[in-house]
Amino acid sequence: MTGVDLFLLGWTAAALLMLLAWVVQWRTQDAGIVDFTWAAGVGLLALGYAWLADGDPLRRLVVAILGGGWAFRLAGYILVNRLIGKREDGRYQRLRAHWREYTQLKFLGFFQAQALLTAIFAVPFLIVALTPEPLPLPALLAAVAVWLLAVGGEALADRQLAVWRADPAHRGRTCRAGLWRYSRHPNYFFE
């Protein structure tokens, strides 16, 4: 398969996954599933590209482990800390109230836009998985070091925010503790 074929296949898979997530959203009236599905979708594309591409086997393994590891850690965090047993995120509640009678049609478009973004965000995994040249050891070590710093920093920022949010005294306030003291979104910085 060519890179374009794999991209189109990935986008189609993401579109189907987001369609399923949209149906779940419709039944549960909780559009927060889109965040979980987006992260898991990027991880599934990393695994799919590593499996289907014909680049260097070590590069493909690195894509599967590092790309999939990052995405599934994020999806798990979102599932546990934002979805299970939680109310719908305020962002989606506001959209639901604003869209009124066209809510489901607009959410369908929103979910499909997220499918396209999922496919686009996974393009670096596709490029690496298609690259035929062997991965030099210094590049591998640098990639692993950057991944450890980035995923570790993201996990630390997510944990600090979860602990901070658990305190009822912080309701309605902006976190300014730990890494959040330096950045409004340290988790995105590390991503």
Side-chain angles (χ1 to χ4, degrees), residues 93-107:
Q93 289 176 4
R94 287 188 290 280
L95 286 175
R96 203 175 287 286
H98 177 71
W99 287 339
R100 298 175 217 221
E101 65 195 62
Y102 299 105
T103 298
Q104 290 309 321
L105 184 60
K106 289 185 177 184
F107 268 132

Side-chain angles (χ1 to χ4, degrees), residues 23-190:
V23 170
V24 170
Q25 170 277 144
W26 194 346
R27 294 189 67 178
T28 63
Q29 295 296 295
D30 186 348
I33 189 78
V34 73
D35 298 326
F36 165 78
T37 308
W38 179 88
V42 173
L44 289 171
L45 289 182
L47 294 179
Y49 293 153
W51 180 43
L52 295 172
D54 58 3
D56 176 64
L58 180 57
R59 286 179 187 268
R60 292 173 27 221
L61 180 63
V62 168
V63 164
I65 293 171
L66 301 187
W70 162 77
F72 295 129
R73 186 220 65 88
L74 180 59
Y77 174 81
I78 291 169
L79 183 66
V80 170
N81 290 285
R82 304 279 171 87
L83 288 177
I84 296 175
K86 307 291 191 293
R87 293 178 52 224
E88 184 179 44
D89 187 296
R91 299 170 295 166
Y92 303 124
Q93 289 176 4
R94 287 188 290 280
L95 286 175
R96 203 175 287 286
H98 177 71
W99 287 339
R100 298 175 217 221
E101 65 195 62
Y102 299 105
T103 298
Q104 290 309 321
L105 184 60
K106 289 185 177 184
F107 268 132
L108 177 60
F110 175 74
F111 275 57
Q112 287 307 305
Q114 294 299 309
L116 176 58
L117 290 173
T118 299
I120 291 169
F121 272 67
V123 165
F125 300 139
L126 176 58
I127 291 169
V128 172
L130 286 168
T131 302
E133 291 84 28
L135 183 61
L137 183 60
L140 173 62
L141 295 175
V144 170
V146 168
W147 185 86
L148 288 170
L149 176 67
V151 173
E154 182 184 23
L156 176 61
D158 285 341
R159 179 71 187 136
Q160 288 173 342
L161 181 61
V163 168
W164 189 86
R165 281 184 169 171
D167 186 342
H170 296 147
R171 185 167 304 272
R173 296 178 50 213
T174 301
C175 181
R176 303 237 188 267
L179 294 172
W180 297 85
R181 175 178 340 141
Y182 305 106
S183 171
R184 176 84 164 106
H185 295 289
N187 49 349
Y188 297 149
F189 169 79
F190 285 107

